Amino acid sequence: MLELRKDLFADERDDTLNVVGKSVQRQDMPGHVTARTRFFDDHAFDGLLHLKVVRSPHPHARIRSIDVSAAARAPGVKRVLRAADVPVNKNTLLSLINFGKDDEPALAVDKVCYVGEPVVAVIAESEAAALAARNLVRIEYEPLTPVFDVEEALKPGAPVVNPTYPNNYFEYHERFDHQKLRFGDVEAAFARADIVIEHRYQMSPIEHAPTETNGSIAAPEHNDRYVVHTCAQGLFFSLGTTAKIVNLESNRLHFIGGTVGGGFGGKVDSLTEPLAVLGAMLTGRPVRFVLDREEEMLYGSPRGAERIYIKDGLMRDGRIVARYVRSYFDAGAYTRLSSYAAIKCTAHIPGPYWIPNVASDIHVAYTNRCPSTAMRGFGITAVDFALEVQMDRLAEAAGLDPMEFRILNAYRDGDVKPHRRVAKNTALIECVQVAAEKANWPLSDQARRQSSLVGGGTGARAEIPATVLDQRGQIGRPESRGAPATGTLPAGAMRIPLTKEPVMEGTRDGRAAPVQVPRYAPAPAPGPAGPPPAAAASRPAAPPASSAPPFYPPAPSPAPVAPPPVAPPAAPPTQHGAMRFSSVFGTRRR
């Protein structure tokens, strides 16, 4: 368990929480109200050039020809950039942590995939000259059939949006077509439920609408480096992305951020920095690339649209016994952060409620829309809204007060989640009780006596139920999509440790490095069609959480042969740089 070093951060954290309910002055407030705060666009450079891009007017079209000759001769124009001028003209944001394939060009090459996709960049002495020359670029397009609906995009024969992912879905680890969760036997629970309710929820894209639009200024320095003033929210993400696209060592880039005039997640995509730096490299002068308000609103990466189907099985006493969620993230034309949003969504299901049978299928679909990105809780906010509206509908169907219905189904400490982890520090019951008190909402005496510390982690709430498996004892593989269930993972059997805490290999802060790190036990070996191998059926039940080993050993082989001894893990190699935590994979990385 990693704990905050309170001796080092005493000034940053006060565990007494004595600022709640009090007026506390923000540290940056004086600079904002006196107009002394410096934003990226407040930095003046001699000889500043301005960059503007020519964008696609089509949602989906093949580029037949590009003629920039007139624009290149226009007054004040210093350089016109095309895809061939970009050293590494394909990237995906999460490639910095080796997650996903590079799929988005900085400037379009042979086709465009959404209205507003950058095709040509014009660099000129003034913004007016750049805008005038932009109108002189001639591009011949051959329109292609677009697809705008996530479910239509995933149907066979749909137009291919993103050539890197020709099936129009993100491929997790280059094998899996979506995020999948299975816990218990959902279909059997639906069959015995007194009430089954299913609803569809549709969320629209949302523009962040920051007061300050995306933008940056890049300028050459005398020591063969480039300084970049930017409003990027993730400064090191932006630095790494830019270094890759312009093919420079990262230590030749000096990124300066700090003050962001509104972001909310919409300034993590490095929309301007790579081309601004490339322009500075090719012209030897400072280059400013700022989106105007129209570009920000139309092409500045919104919160992605999400479609969510929720099906619940309910008993007449108000207990939810089954929940199935099917969700589609509209990534737009390219991945950006949608793949991560689907992981967060899967990790959040079924919400803060204990449900003994849960399943979900979370898809990332490519459409001919503007690529979507992060926005305040993305991956969680929309599904939370859908789940809570569904809870109100379930409470009404059961004839129960919606507050008391939530208390009845809430997690309690010790409950086993569908992700095979133990719920800790749960507080939904107390939150509902306080909210009801503040709103003068009447609760029964029984509801007021409930506690998140009582009643959890006992009986079925502490058990891992027998879980239906797909073909060959696996879930999530494209070839098993839609296949009937052929067996079950026995109750208590696990492939993932019950409590898998992040660890640090080879720590240098005085603590001993762990002997073993959590690892996955392999799934049963593929065999002929039929039930899973006998080894799965004979896998012993997991011991209680209090005595659980750091990981469960692989399933024994059905053959009566002693398993080979497991060699101790090799000592971690000497590496440079601090370790960092990856929220995508839940592990430490360098």
Side-chain angles (χ1 to χ4, degrees), residues 196-279:
V196 176
I197 295 179
E198 182 174 10
H199 283 282
R200 174 186 185 269
Y201 302 90
Q202 179 67 53
M203 314 301 168
S204 298
I206 302 174
E207 161 57 24
H208 306 77
T211 303
E212 173 198 50
T213 61
N214 273 272
S216 58
I217 299 175
E221 290 189 323
H222 293 297
N223 53 359
D224 199 28
R225 300 175 75 211
Y226 296 87
V227 62
V228 183
H229 294 277
T230 174
C231 60
Q233 285 181 259
L235 205 61
F236 284 94
F237 254 133
S238 196
L239 187 152
T241 296
T242 302
K244 173 184 174 181
I245 292 175
V246 302
N247 196 27
L248 276 184
E249 298 86 358
S250 59
N251 61 5
R252 291 179 60 192
L253 294 174
H254 179 198
F255 270 56
I256 301 174
T259 307
V260 179
F264 324 112
K267 291 181 177 177
V268 300
D269 289 337
S270 304
L271 299 181
T272 62
E273 294 82 3
L275 289 181
V277 171
L278 181 60

Side-chain angles (χ1 to χ4, degrees), residues 181-193 311-313 315 319-325 349-350 353-360 411 416-418 420 460 463-468:
L181 174 66
R182 296 293 184 269
F183 188 70
D185 192 335
V186 172
E187 291 304 320
F190 281 138
R192 68 173 182 270
K311 181 179 179 181
D312 283 312
M315 306 307 291
R319 292 177 297 113
I320 307 173
V321 295
R323 171 163 286 173
Y324 174 63
V325 178
I349 291 169
Y353 306 105
W354 181 77
I355 302 174
N357 302 280
V358 177
S360 71
Y411 274 136
V416 173
K417 299 181 177 182
R420 279 76 170 173
E463 298 174 358
I464 300 169
T467 301
V468 175

Side-chain angles (χ1 to χ4, degrees), residues 112-133:
V112 291
C113 301
Y114 66 96
V115 172
E117 180 163 4
V119 182
V120 173
V122 177
I123 303 172
E125 294 282 359
S126 68
E127 192 168 4
L131 290 171

Side-chain angles (χ1 to χ4, degrees), residues 26-38:
R26 286 176 52 112
Q27 292 181 348
D28 57 0
M29 185 270 289
H32 287 355
V33 300
T34 60
R36 290 177 177 153
T37 299
R38 298 194 76 188

Side-chain angles (χ1 to χ4, degrees), residues 312-566:
D312 283 312
L314 182 69
M315 306 307 291
R316 295 201 183 277
D317 62 4
R319 292 177 297 113
I320 307 173
V321 295
R323 171 163 286 173
Y324 174 63
V325 178
R326 187 172 85 255
S327 177
Y328 300 89
F329 280 82
D330 189 343
Y334 301 109
T335 306
R336 296 198 184 170
L337 285 167
S338 294
S339 56
Y340 176 40
I343 293 175
K344 293 171 63 181
C345 179
T346 303
H348 191 63
I349 291 169
Y353 306 105
W354 181 77
I355 302 174
N357 302 280
V358 177
S360 71
D361 294 292
I362 313 300
H363 304 260
V364 173
Y366 297 101
T367 65
N368 293 111
R369 297 181 183 272
C370 179
S372 57
T373 190
M375 185 179 185
R376 289 296 184 249
F378 69 112
I380 302 295
T381 310
V383 73
D384 247 350
F385 170 80
L387 289 173
E388 293 307 317
V389 174
Q390 183 83 351
M391 291 296 287
D392 285 343
R393 286 172 161 161
L394 293 172
E396 182 179 1
L400 295 177
D401 176 272
M403 294 283 209
E404 299 201 13
F405 180 71
R406 285 169 168 81
I407 291 176
L408 172 65
N409 289 283
Y411 274 136
R412 289 162 168 79
D413 280 7
D415 290 341
V416 173
K417 299 181 177 182
H419 311 88
R420 279 76 170 173
R421 296 192 181 190
V422 176
K424 302 176 183 178
N425 302 317
T426 59
L428 176 61
I429 293 174
E430 288 73 16
C431 288
V432 172
Q433 291 167 341
V434 172
E437 179 184 357
K438 298 291 186 184
N440 294 319
W441 189 282
L443 290 180
S444 67
D445 290 340
Q446 182 180 6
R448 287 198 298 268
R449 288 194 301 269
Q450 297 301 306
S451 169
S452 296
L453 301 176
V454 179
T458 61
R461 302 178 77 105
E463 298 174 358
I464 300 169
T467 301
V468 175
L469 301 178
D470 291 347
Q471 271 186 332
R472 298 185 296 170
Q474 300 170 341
I475 62 174
R477 294 187 182 280
E479 65 265 26
S480 70
R481 219 167 42 243
T486 58
T488 60
L489 191 68
M494 299 181 59
R495 291 179 181 156
I496 303 176
L498 191 62
T499 54
K500 192 179 86 169
E501 301 289 350
V503 297
M504 294 179 67
E505 295 181 68
T507 56
R508 300 183 178 92
D509 59 359
R511 293 177 292 166
V515 177
Q516 295 171 324
V517 296
R519 67 185 184 190
Y520 293 90
S538 64
R539 186 179 292 124
S546 60
S547 61
F551 63 89
Y552 291 103
S557 170
V561 178
V566 179

